[in-house]
Amino acid sequence: MSVEHVLLGRGVVTPEQVADARRAATGTDERLDQALVRLGHTTRDAVLAAFAHDFHMPVVDLVEISPEPEVIDLLPAALVYRQKCVPIARHNGTLTVATSDPFEIAAHDELRLVTGCSIELVLADELELERFMRRHYGVGGDTLDAMAESDAPVAESSDAAEEIERAQEASVIKLVNDVLTEAVSERATDVHIEPYEHELVVRYRIDGVLQRASVPPTIHRYGAAIVSRIKIMASLNIAEKRRPQDGRISFATRLDGRVHEFDMRVSVIPMLFGEGVVLRVLDNSAALMSLDDLGMDGDTLARWDQLIAKPHGIVLVTGPTGSGKSTTLYASLNRIVTDEIKAVTIEDPVEYHASGVNQIQVNTKTGLTFAAGLRSVLRHDPDVVMVGEIRDKETAETAIQASLTGHLVFSTLHTNDAAGAPTRLLDMGVEPFLVSSSVEGVLAQRLVRRICRDHYEDYTPDPGDLPRGFELPASGTLRRGVPDRSNRNTGYRGRLGVFELLTLSHEIREMIMSRANAPELAKAAMASDDLRPMRVDGYEKVRSGKTTLSELARALAV
C-alpha cells in the first residue's frame, strides 16, 4: 500500500494531480501527500481521513491532549523527532502513539523495543504533531538529546580556534537552525537569546509581543556554542566577548515544502552571565507591501497619496521603534517610483532591498553620515530622497535644503504624535521659517495586533469598560479573538497600523513661525480638519472588528 494508492482509491485526488505533485516534489524530501496539499490539490484533513479509513486507525486532536510527564519521558526526543511520532497515553502496558505517517512500519518495532510496551498507533494532523513535539520536547530537543549522549556540555573556551571548531559541529549548527526555523515559521520579527545564571531563555517577538519559545532546559549548557555559531554566521569576531558587535546573516530554510530565504540583523552584547543575542528577522516582503495593505482609512490614504505625489518638500513619518515607519516609507516609494523617477535612500542599516531604488548604507567610520550622504546624493540628480532618520540639526537642515531645491524628501522622527514633529525640529535648532516652508505633512503611526480572522466572537461589553469618547456601533457589540492553536492562543494574528496625518495649512505654518507648542498645533489642526487623532482612527478600527480596545490601550495608552 502506498500514499498514491490510498489517495487515488479514496478519490481524494486524480492521476493528473498525482503526476503534478510528483514533478513538484522531484529533488526534495517532500512526501507525495505533502506536495499535493501544498499545490492545493487536496487538504490535510482529506488526506488524514483517507489514511484513517484504509489503515483503520482513529484520528486524535493533539490540541486537546495533555499527556502525563512520565508518558512523555518514555520516548527520547531524538527518537520522537526522527520517527515523527509522539506518546500520548499509557494504559495496561499499551502505549498509544500518534503519528502522521502510517506507512512508516519500522517505527512500530523500534518504539516497542525502546519502551517495552505494546504500541497502539493513532493518526494526527502533521502540523499539530510538529507543534506537539516542540511544546513537550522543545525546539531542537532531538539535537540536545543526541548532544547529551555523545559528549560533554559545550562550555565557554578562551581558545578561539577551539570555539570555532565547536561552533561548526553538525549538532550545534542544527540546533541553531532549528531555533531560527521555528522563529520564522511562527512569524517572529525578533529572536532574543538571553543568558541567565542557570538557564538560557529564547523568546520570539510575534505581532509585537514577546513570547517564550519552547526549548529544553538543558539548552543553557550549550549557550556559548550557540552564540559562537551565530557569530560565525554573521562574520563577527568569535574571540571578542567584551564589546558589543553587530552583523547580518542570510538564512535559508524549508517551509511549506519550499525554500525561503531570510536576512537577519544580529546584535551581540556582553551580559552578566554570557553574551545576549537579538536577531531581527528582515522580511523582504515588507519592502513590497502596498499602501493599501497597511490599514489606512480611505480619507487618510487619499491625503497621503497627495503628499507623496508632490514635486518637493519634506514628508515625515513618526513613531517609536518598531511601529512600522520603514514599511510605510517603502510602500510609499513603491507607490511613486517609476522609470521616470529616480529614488535614493540613505539608511542605517539598509534593512530591505527595494527594486528600482538606489540604496546607501551609512558608515560613520568612513565619514558617511546621514548628512554627508545626503549632500553627496543631491549630486546624483535624484527626484526622491529617503533619509532613514533625522537625528540631528545637521541632517535636518541638509534635508530641508534638499526639499527647498526641488527634491521630495522622506524621513522619520521619533515623536509620540504628528504635531510633535515640527516642534522636535525646532528643538534641534532648525529655524522656524525653514520648518514652516519645507514640511508638507507628518504621518504618525502605531502597530496594533489584528483580531484573528478565522477565530473570533462578538460580545456585548460592559459600559464601564469603555473609554471616554468611545461609541459602540449600532449593533451594540464588539469583536474579540478566540484563542486557538493557529494564533498561538492569543486571539490575534497579524498586525495593522493606526494612523494620524497632519497636513500643514497656512494657519499651522504661521503657528510654527511663532514657535507654537505641539498641543497648540494639534488643537488648531483638529479644528480645521487637518488632523484626525490616532485615537479616533483606533476607535474606528475597534468598531469595525479589526482590533480590540485592550490592544489599542496597550499601543496608545488610551
Side-chain angles (χ1 to χ4, degrees):
M1 189 181 297
S2 65
V3 172
E4 179 178 352
H5 178 267
V6 171
L7 297 183
L8 287 175
R10 299 297 301 166
V12 175
V13 292
T14 65
E16 292 77 17
Q17 291 172 332
V18 169
D20 184 30
R22 287 197 180 282
R23 286 191 297 269
T26 301
T28 72
D29 56 359
E30 190 176 27
R31 292 201 320 256
L32 179 63
D33 56 303
Q34 295 170 334
L36 286 164
V37 171
R38 174 170 62 82
L39 294 172
H41 295 323
T42 186
T43 64
R44 297 200 313 274
D45 288 341
V47 169
L48 203 60
F51 289 170
H53 181 275
D54 279 34
F55 284 89
H56 306 288
M57 293 170 60
V59 177
V60 298
D61 184 358
L62 292 179
V63 177
E64 305 297 330
I65 296 175
S66 298
E68 295 295 329
E70 55 266 24
V71 172
I72 292 295
D73 293 340
L74 285 173
L75 293 181
L79 177 60
V80 166
Y81 275 89
R82 184 174 72 252
Q83 298 290 8
K84 297 291 191 296
C85 58
V86 295
I88 58 175
R90 182 176 58 175
H91 183 68
N92 291 335
T94 297
L95 181 65
T96 303
V97 177
T99 179
S100 63
D101 185 4
F103 298 90
E104 190 58 55
I105 304 299
H108 187 283
D109 295 330
E110 186 174 5
L111 296 175
R112 179 173 51 80
L113 290 172
V114 169
T115 62
C117 299
S118 299
I119 303 298
E120 178 188 22
L121 289 178
V122 295
L123 283 173
D125 177 80
E126 182 179 17
L127 294 185
E128 293 304 335
L129 192 69
E130 293 176 355
R131 292 191 181 101
F132 187 96
M133 288 190 294
R134 292 196 296 266
R135 185 166 66 249
H136 292 283
Y137 292 93
V139 180
D142 56 334
T143 306
L144 288 172
D145 199 13
M147 291 167 71
E149 292 178 358
S150 63
D151 56 17
V154 182
E156 189 171 348
S157 170
S158 58
D159 187 337
E162 185 179 348
E163 286 204 6
I164 292 174
E165 182 179 351
R166 288 174 173 173
Q168 291 179 327
E169 291 178 359
S171 55
V172 176
I173 292 174
K174 184 178 185 303
L175 178 58
V176 172
N177 287 349
D178 286 344
V179 171
L180 299 186
T181 298
E182 163 81 355
V184 298
S185 68
E186 293 292 337
R187 302 178 297 106
T189 56
D190 300 86
V191 182
H192 293 241
I193 301 174
E194 305 164 338
Y196 296 96
E197 186 174 8
H198 300 298
E199 65 176 339
L200 185 74
V201 174
V202 179
R203 296 194 288 174
Y204 303 143
R205 188 176 295 279
I206 301 172
D207 294 334
V209 177
L210 279 171
Q211 302 178 36
R212 273 208 182 203
S214 296
V215 294
T218 55
I219 195 173
H220 79 276
R221 301 163 64 192
Y222 307 94
I226 292 171
V227 174
S228 295
R229 173 59 189 164
I230 292 173
K231 284 183 176 180
I232 289 174
M233 295 172 72
S235 300
L236 300 179
N237 184 353
I238 195 172
E240 178 58 73
K241 301 178 185 296
R242 297 172 299 174
R243 297 178 181 175
Q245 296 188 73
D246 296 313
R248 190 178 181 121
I249 66 177
S250 294
F251 177 71
T253 186
R254 181 176 292 278
L255 295 173
D256 303 323
R258 289 173 290 182
V259 175
H260 296 256
E261 294 185 357
F262 296 86
D263 287 334
M264 296 186 179
R265 196 173 73 219
V266 181
S267 174
V268 182
I269 298 180
M271 294 186 177
L272 184 60
F273 297 106
E275 292 178 284
V277 181
V278 173
L279 301 99
R280 166 65 58 89
V281 182
L282 305 175
D283 185 358
N284 285 323
S285 64
L288 304 175
M289 286 189 69
S290 164
L291 281 174
D292 301 301
D293 300 327
L294 302 183
M296 290 188 195
D297 69 278
D299 178 65
T300 300
L301 181 57
R303 293 167 59 208
W304 182 250
D305 274 332
Q306 292 178 350
L307 284 174
I308 64 177
K310 287 181 176 291
H312 53 76
I314 293 182
V315 178
L316 297 170
V317 180
T318 76
T321 300
S323 60
K325 300 187 296 297
S326 295
T327 300
T328 298
L329 287 177
Y330 274 110
S332 301
L333 286 175
N334 289 335
R335 190 85 148 197
I336 64 174
V337 170
T338 64
D339 288 341
E340 299 173 352
I341 294 178
K342 178 168 183 174
V344 182
T345 71
I346 308 167
E347 305 170 72
D348 182 24
V350 175
E351 294 193 350
Y352 308 112
H353 301 297
S355 177
V357 177
N358 299 270
Q359 297 174 275
I360 299 172
Q361 168 76 52
V362 166
N363 188 341
T364 54
K365 293 180 180 179
T366 62
L368 181 55
T369 61
F370 278 120
L374 182 54
R375 285 193 294 269
S376 299
V377 160
L378 297 181
R379 294 192 285 272
H380 273 244
D381 188 32
D383 299 291
V384 180
V385 179
M386 186 180 96
V387 182
E389 182 183 349
I390 293 178
R391 298 176 177 173
D392 51 41
K393 178 182 178 182
E394 183 184 11
T395 305
E397 290 183 337
T398 307
I400 287 172
Q401 291 302 324
S403 71
L404 295 176
T405 54
H407 303 87
L408 180 62
V409 179
F410 292 158
S411 192
T412 69
L413 275 176
H414 286 290
T415 63
N416 290 328
D417 52 29
T423 55
R424 175 63 57 85
L425 293 174
L426 296 179
D427 291 342
M428 287 182 181
V430 181
E431 292 296 330
F433 75 91
L434 290 176
V435 177
S436 174
S437 59
S438 61
V439 177
E440 297 292 337
V442 183
L443 181 74
Q445 67 179 70
R446 298 289 191 280
L447 290 177
V448 295
R449 290 183 290 175
R450 185 189 290 271
I451 292 172
C452 182
R453 302 184 196 191
D454 298 321
H455 302 89
Y456 59 85
E457 63 183 8
D458 294 331
Y459 73 102
T460 302
D462 186 329
D465 293 336
L466 301 178
R468 181 180 301 175
F470 179 83
E471 295 183 3
L472 286 170
S475 65
T477 62
L478 297 177
R479 179 168 293 177
R480 61 189 175 195
V482 175
D484 180 80
R485 55 187 179 273
S486 65
N487 56 49
R488 290 183 65 93
N489 294 316
T490 63
Y492 300 98
R493 184 174 176 86
R495 290 188 290 178
L496 75 159
V498 179
F499 304 91
E500 66 177 24
L501 176 58
L502 169 67
T503 51
L504 272 66
S505 63
H506 178 73
E507 178 188 2
I508 298 298
R509 295 183 192 277
E510 289 292 329
M511 293 180 69
I512 292 173
M513 290 288 290
S514 302
R515 293 183 177 272
N517 59 35
E520 293 170 341
L521 292 177
K523 182 178 180 180
M526 285 187 287
S528 59
D529 291 330
D530 289 318
L531 176 67
R532 182 190 186 213
M534 200 181 307
R535 180 186 69 259
V536 174
D537 185 43
Y539 286 167
E540 183 56 40
K541 287 179 168 65
V542 172
R543 280 191 289 268
S544 61
K546 295 177 181 176
T547 191
T548 63
L549 283 171
S550 59
E551 179 62 11
L552 202 64
R554 183 188 68 83
L556 303 184
V558 295

